[in-house]
Amino acid sequence: MYCLCPSFHFYRLSSLVAIVFSSSGGVKQTNVAKLPVKDDSTYNLDERYIEKRLEDSLREDKNSGCEIPKLDPFAPEVTKFDKDLPKIVCYGVDWVKCYLDECKVVPEILRTTRDIICTYNDILYESDAKYTIGPSIEIRGADVYPLIKSDHVKVKCTGTHENSILPSKWLGHGIGFRSTVHPKSPPPGRENTYDILFLGFDSTAKNGFIRRMPKSYKVVKELLGATVLNSYNIVGDGTPAALFPFLTGKTELELPDVRKKTKNNDSLDNMPFIFYRLKDDGYRTAYFEDMPWIGTFQYRFKGFVRQPADHYLRAFYLEESQNGKKWASKPRRYCVGDTPQFELMLNITDQFFKLDGKKFGFTFIADITHDDFNMIPTADDALAAFLTDFMEKGRGKNTMLLLFGDHGPRYAYVRDTLQGKFEERLPLMAIRLPDDLVKERPNAQKNLERNAEVLTTPHDIHATILDVMDMRKEWNPYKIKGADLTRGLTLLEPISSNRSCSEAGIEPHWCSCLSWEEVVKSDPMFTKTGKALVDFINSLTDEARSKCVPRTLQSVQWSMRKRPNNGVLTFVAAKDMDGYVGKFGKQLNADREDYTVKITVNPNNGVYEGSLIYYKAEDRFEIDSRDISRINAYNNEPSCISATLPHLNMYCFCKEFL
């Protein structure tokens, strides 16, 4: 989920060029690499640039394996930031509730209010950018309003309370499932493939979930018997870097460019989202996400022209939240009528799995975790109850459950700690396989448990759900050049413990299993890395220099150097056909060094982290803006250019504020 203020901005290169800095401080542009041009037009320069970086890293870390740090969820370094906040309480009583395909006045209101007339208006989705309100239809008393044209309604009711002669009024919204959705008949032999449920929380690290959701975690481990992946690593920044691989098997750069800043008429409809393939296979599909004003596929992207799934909440939340204006009202922001929004999301997910046919559901809850992860404990009881109910209703028999976080905290204070830096990269991923699948393929569960300690990514999750649904032919065959195996691997088969970040498609900036050493202050590289990062930031804002002041280095908080293990430096070739056993020789001297540095800049104490490549022989740095994170909130610093140059938001400080 992308935020309007605290930002880790993804910036797509416009050409195959990187900014490099010499020791003299000069700035120049240089070609990164001469790469062969591929006939496939979907390969663009940006994609090949990232491919080349992964290929370079692969030559260093192939078959080196990965050891994820053993982090204590309750370490004082992170628990000192935990706060016990009041639970969300929503007031009032909703006059109307919807359940499945019917909406009607609740019994409590019927008992206390007479002469009830409710006016229903369907909320009609037209595109991600537009919805309309349907004609008014009056329903009296206890009569039912059937959901036919839309899953969502706007409702206005009047009546006279038993203790008053004055009329009472109520305004609200309802969600259900229109009766007119009829999944296709599955192809012969595919009538009983498994259901899938993704249930996610924004900004939720594995350790954060253990620490702040104890009841739910106990249910996950003891009642569900789910497997928690301990070496599950993100592959990029923000929510899209998780959801694109989950739902398409590809990264953003491998898909058509549909960012808002791109001048074309494309939309996300042309991308290979799994919903489309599953509809043809007879699945009923749902995509439920709250906070649409910063939606995963709408904040930076043009969104969908046609709703991607049979059941889709965007139009509902745009109307109910007044396009996000409700978020400014602290008493109401977490509520939809008399119900906490996270509970509404769980309720509608529960109802979805009561519908007929095969089902693929994706629910992503952001409101209680996006801005402050300390809010998540308010959902502990409800989530524990939901997961318990999942088992008690027998859904574990034929449904695969994936409980996940898209990434860990990205701009909270905990992110300033070394453990917080790792937690950002190590989100929650807990998987429970269907009981029937475990009986059918007993090795699948054993392999899943073994793979819990092996480096895994969102690409593997995509391969795994396809495996569970017996759709392996849909796997993405993509390999990093020089790798022995595909980037995405099913967790139901053994994954080599020798797998490295580059083989898995993880760039160094996001890799949690790199070994780092601290650069001491007396080392010239301590200050040199900080200056290089500031120079690069200023080069990005050059195009707006009339409005944005140059940043100056205030301090280097720390600088870290990648420390390759001996296996990397002495690796010569694979010794066996599978590439699992290495052949080693004389140790090599690396001609490049990887650094990560954290700096504070003037004006206004902006805090940045960045990854840099230093080429020793040439005494120059190579920096990619994708590898820079803004750690603290920039608030209104870039307001003078936000409308015209939003990609510079996290770098620009407007002159008018000096």
Side-chain angles (χ1 to χ4, degrees):
M1 185 72 64
Y2 276 80
C3 180
L4 298 176
C5 288
S7 169
F8 286 70
H9 186 78
F10 179 97
Y11 181 69
R12 184 189 293 258
L13 297 173
S14 58
S15 61
L16 189 61
V17 168
I19 307 297
V20 296
F21 300 86
S22 66
S23 61
S24 62
V27 181
K28 64 178 181 177
Q29 290 188 334
T30 182
N31 290 331
V32 174
K34 294 182 179 179
L35 297 171
V37 177
K38 301 184 180 182
D39 294 333
D40 186 349
S41 62
T42 62
Y43 278 82
N44 53 44
L45 294 175
D46 307 329
E47 179 189 1
R48 294 202 297 274
Y49 174 67
I50 302 305
E51 280 184 331
K52 182 64 168 59
R53 294 184 70 194
L54 287 169
E55 290 169 20
D56 289 344
S57 297
L58 185 61
R59 282 193 285 271
E60 292 187 6
D61 72 7
K62 185 176 181 180
N63 291 334
S64 62
C66 172
E67 184 177 352
I68 297 290
K70 304 295 184 185
L71 303 175
D72 177 8
F74 302 97
E77 182 182 16
V78 289
T79 56
K80 66 182 179 182
F81 299 112
D82 291 346
K83 297 178 182 178
D84 292 325
L85 301 179
K87 285 194 171 186
I88 294 170
V89 178
C90 302
Y91 298 98
V93 176
D94 286 351
W95 283 31
V96 171
K97 293 288 188 182
C98 300
Y99 186 77
L100 298 178
D101 61 354
E102 294 184 345
C103 301
K104 57 185 178 183
V105 178
V106 299
E108 178 181 349
I109 299 299
L110 289 172
R111 286 194 303 269
T112 59
T113 309
R114 65 182 186 275
D115 302 326
I116 297 172
I117 300 176
C118 291
T119 302
Y120 290 81
N121 301 88
D122 288 322
I123 302 170
L124 300 167
Y125 175 92
E126 294 196 14
S127 72
D128 275 9
K130 183 180 180 181
Y131 68 92
T132 56
I133 301 298
S136 298
I137 299 177
E138 283 192 357
I139 302 292
R140 294 177 179 271
D143 290 349
V144 169
Y145 179 78
L147 295 173
I148 298 173
K149 294 183 178 180
S150 174
D151 291 344
H152 323 123
V153 288
K154 184 176 182 179
V155 192
K156 178 181 179 181
C157 297
T158 60
T160 302
H161 194 271
E162 62 184 1
N163 296 324
S164 174
I165 61 172
L166 298 175
S168 299
K169 297 180 181 179
W170 175 81
L171 297 173
H173 302 82
I175 306 178
F177 296 90
R178 63 196 186 281
S179 59
T180 48
V181 175
H182 303 292
K184 295 181 180 180
S185 296
R190 292 196 53 80
E191 295 85 358
N192 298 310
T193 53
Y194 295 109
D195 293 346
I196 305 289
L197 171 58
F198 278 90
L199 177 56
F201 289 86
D202 193 13
S203 303
T204 301
K206 182 197 74 172
N207 275 8
F209 188 85
I210 294 171
R211 190 164 59 242
R212 304 297 281 157
M213 299 286 276
K215 295 178 183 177
S216 297
Y217 184 68
K218 183 176 181 180
V219 172
V220 166
K221 293 294 289 182
E222 297 181 8
L223 180 60
L224 271 66
T227 301
V228 178
L229 303 187
N230 293 318
S231 297
Y232 176 71
N233 201 111
I234 63 175
V235 294
D237 192 17
T239 305
L243 269 58
F244 273 127
F246 283 166
L247 298 174
T248 72
K250 297 185 177 185
T251 66
E252 177 185 333
L253 289 177
E254 295 162 1
L255 296 163
D257 186 356
V258 295
R259 291 169 302 147
K260 290 178 179 177
K261 63 182 288 186
T262 306
K263 295 180 180 179
N264 60 40
N265 295 319
D266 292 340
S267 69
L268 276 82
D269 301 72
N270 298 323
M271 296 184 180
F273 279 92
I274 195 170
F275 302 111
Y276 308 139
R277 176 66 183 86
L278 294 180
K279 286 182 184 180
D280 290 337
D281 199 62
Y283 275 84
R284 183 188 292 268
T285 58
Y287 182 82
F288 298 149
E289 180 179 356
D290 56 9
M291 299 184 77
W293 57 97
I294 48 172
T296 302
F297 301 117
Q298 295 83 23
Y299 180 59
R300 288 192 297 111
F301 306 105
K302 298 175 184 177
F304 296 93
V305 175
R306 297 174 299 278
Q307 66 180 50
D310 296 321
H311 306 285
Y312 188 51
L313 293 183
R314 182 166 176 80
F316 170 81
Y317 275 121
L318 285 172
E319 166 62 25
E320 188 276 333
S321 70
Q322 297 178 292
N323 198 20
K325 291 180 181 178
K326 184 184 78 171
W327 197 246
S329 173
K330 289 187 178 180
R332 294 180 53 243
R333 67 166 55 171
Y334 298 113
C335 297
V336 177
D338 63 5
T339 305
Q341 185 164 289
F342 71 85
E343 283 193 19
L344 183 72
M345 295 287 278
L346 294 175
N347 291 343
I348 201 69
T349 301
D350 176 69
Q351 288 186 49
F352 174 72
F353 277 86
K354 294 179 179 179
L355 301 176
D356 62 318
K358 302 191 298 182
K359 291 168 283 290
F360 180 95
F362 195 101
T363 298
F364 187 62
I365 299 170
D367 71 322
I368 55 172
T369 53
H370 182 264
D371 285 3
D372 188 349
F373 187 71
N374 281 310
M375 287 294 299
I376 199 172
T378 196
D380 196 15
D381 287 332
L383 179 60
F386 175 89
L387 296 174
T388 300
D389 194 55
F390 175 90
M391 295 300 294
E392 291 179 349
K393 289 179 177 175
R395 290 179 184 154
K397 184 175 187 295
N398 69 338
T399 303
M400 178 186 187
L401 172 66
L402 302 99
L403 182 65
F404 74 94
D406 53 345
H407 50 73
R410 296 169 63 225
Y411 49 84
Y413 288 119
V414 68
R415 178 60 178 72
D416 290 336
T417 67
L418 183 59
Q419 176 152 335
K421 180 181 174 71
F422 280 115
E423 288 193 3
E424 178 192 14
R425 290 154 171 77
L426 299 170
L428 171 69
M429 179 57 73
I431 298 174
R432 188 187 190 280
L433 297 178
D435 295 336
D436 287 353
L437 184 144
V438 174
K439 293 176 183 176
E440 177 186 339
R441 298 171 57 183
N443 286 335
Q445 179 65 33
K446 294 177 182 178
N447 290 330
L448 174 62
E449 292 171 1
R450 176 189 175 278
N451 290 332
E453 308 303 326
V454 175
L455 181 64
T456 50
T457 75
H459 294 292
D460 304 323
I461 300 304
H462 182 76
T464 303
I465 62 172
L466 290 175
D467 190 0
V468 167
M469 293 186 290
D470 195 20
M471 299 176 70
R472 292 168 65 117
K473 63 182 180 180
E474 303 289 336
W475 277 356
N476 183 352
Y478 176 79
K479 289 182 183 181
I480 305 297
K481 187 176 180 180
D484 299 317
L485 300 171
T486 55
R487 177 181 58 189
L489 300 171
T490 176
L491 296 168
L492 308 190
E493 295 179 355
I495 296 176
S496 171
S497 59
N498 290 339
R499 192 187 200 192
S500 68
C501 277
S502 299
E503 290 170 294
I506 306 169
E507 296 176 74
H509 184 59
W510 303 113
C511 181
S512 300
C513 45
L514 298 180
S515 180
W516 296 88
E517 63 182 2
E518 184 177 359
V519 179
V520 297
K521 290 184 178 181
S522 59
D523 188 324
M525 295 302 292
F526 182 84
T527 303
K528 195 170 184 176
T529 52
K531 287 181 176 178
L533 184 56
V534 174
D535 288 345
F536 180 73
I537 290 171
N538 287 331
S539 74
L540 294 176
T541 56
D542 274 346
E543 62 179 299
R545 186 59 65 225
S546 63
K547 296 182 178 181
C548 305
V549 300
R551 299 282 193 171
T552 58
L553 181 65
Q554 183 185 120
S555 65
V556 177
Q557 297 187 32
W558 48 254
S559 181
M560 305 285 285
R561 180 189 292 116
K562 178 183 174 183
R563 186 177 64 235
N565 60 50
N566 187 61
V568 170
L569 294 178
T570 60
F571 180 82
V572 175
K575 192 174 183 180
D576 65 327
M577 292 293 291
D578 294 320
Y580 293 158
V581 180
K583 178 181 178 181
F584 299 92
K586 183 179 179 181
Q587 180 166 313
L588 301 175
N589 290 319
D591 61 355
R592 56 173 263 183
E593 293 177 335
D594 292 270
Y595 289 88
T596 181
V597 62
K598 183 175 181 180
I599 61 172
T600 301
V601 301
N602 296 316
N604 210 36
N605 302 314
V607 183
Y608 295 88
E609 259 182 40
S611 291
L612 312 84
I613 300 173
Y614 179 62
Y615 293 93
K616 293 191 288 187
E618 302 169 53
D619 190 25
R620 67 176 178 88
F621 289 94
E622 181 179 296
I623 307 173
D624 177 2
S625 58
R626 295 178 70 249
D627 294 341
I628 301 176
S629 298
R630 173 72 185 251
I631 303 304
N632 59 343
Y634 51 73
N635 298 317
N636 65 343
E637 288 181 8
S639 57
C640 60
I641 55 92
S642 288
T644 54
L645 299 169
H647 59 285
L648 298 182
N649 277 347
M650 77 174 185
Y651 308 114
C652 176
F653 187 93
C654 296
K655 288 184 178 180
E656 64 196 69
F657 296 125
L658 286 178

